[in-house]
Amino acid sequence: MLLCAQVPEGHKVAVFANGCFWGSEKGIWRFPYGIYSTAVGYCAGFTPNPTYNEACSGMTGHTEGVRVVYDPEQISFADILRWFWEAHDPTSGMGQGNDRGTQYRSGFYYFDDDQKRLIEASKEFYEKKLGRPITTEVAAAAPAPQAHNASGEPM
């Protein structure tokens, strides 16, 4: 997804999708510490730089995502994961609440093997806790050239 902003030394990046990106971004801002920056855009698709209408068509494969730059000395990846799983319904398939379509699907996109392992372990934990299959997509984060904002403009 978006690699537009510099990541300060010692900081890390998380990219997730859990419904409308504006609400997801607002939710992550509620952390009292550790969040350096956020940005929203489309991720996990195959069409370069889709517009809003293209993403909403379901033909680009994108989901509305949030990129979070955080300080792991102040907030852990596990804290972000806990918030992610509890801030939406990860069992609802292609949508959240009244927002329906592939662009509203749940996903978490990893940058390294440690993130992948933690995402998968937490997914298994929450699936057991919820007693239903979780439909959240877990995949490698896209490389920088596919970065674009909500208006389809390169970032």
Side-chain angles (χ1 to χ4, degrees):
M1 184 183 166
L2 12 135
L3 296 178
C4 59
Q6 293 290 334
V7 177
E9 189 172 332
H11 286 59
K12 296 194 175 193
V13 178
V15 172
F16 57 82
N18 59 343
C20 172
F21 47 39
W22 303 123
S24 298
E25 183 183 41
K26 183 178 180 182
I28 205 78
W29 290 342
R30 292 187 178 127
F31 277 101
Y33 47 82
I35 303 301
Y36 177 78
S37 67
T38 61
V40 300
Y42 301 111
C43 61
F46 46 83
T47 301
N49 305 321
T51 65
Y52 172 78
N53 287 335
E54 289 170 336
C56 289
S57 75
M59 302 299 288
T60 71
H62 287 83
T63 188
E64 293 194 5
V66 179
R67 176 185 186 252
V68 177
V69 177
Y70 66 98
D71 181 350
E73 294 292 321
Q74 296 182 25
I75 186 170
S76 71
F77 189 66
D79 290 330
I80 293 170
L81 281 168
R82 185 180 311 103
W83 172 85
F84 170 79
W85 294 117
E86 294 176 6
H88 77 300
D89 178 359
T91 68
S92 68
M94 295 296 172
Q96 292 296 311
N98 291 329
D99 292 331
R100 307 308 301 165
T102 60
Q103 75 273 24
Y104 298 116
R105 73 183 181 276
S106 175
F108 216 113
Y109 308 97
Y110 56 86
F111 288 91
D112 58 39
D113 289 338
D114 286 338
Q115 282 189 349
K116 180 181 180 184
R117 182 182 50 78
L118 288 168
I119 294 165
E120 289 175 342
S122 65
K123 179 180 177 182
E124 183 179 324
F125 171 82
Y126 277 94
E127 194 166 62
K128 287 177 184 172
K129 186 175 178 177
L130 293 169
R132 304 190 301 271
I134 285 180
T135 59
T136 300
E137 173 179 61
V138 176
Q146 294 184 9
H148 46 274
N149 68 18
S151 300
E153 300 165 352
M155 296 183 77

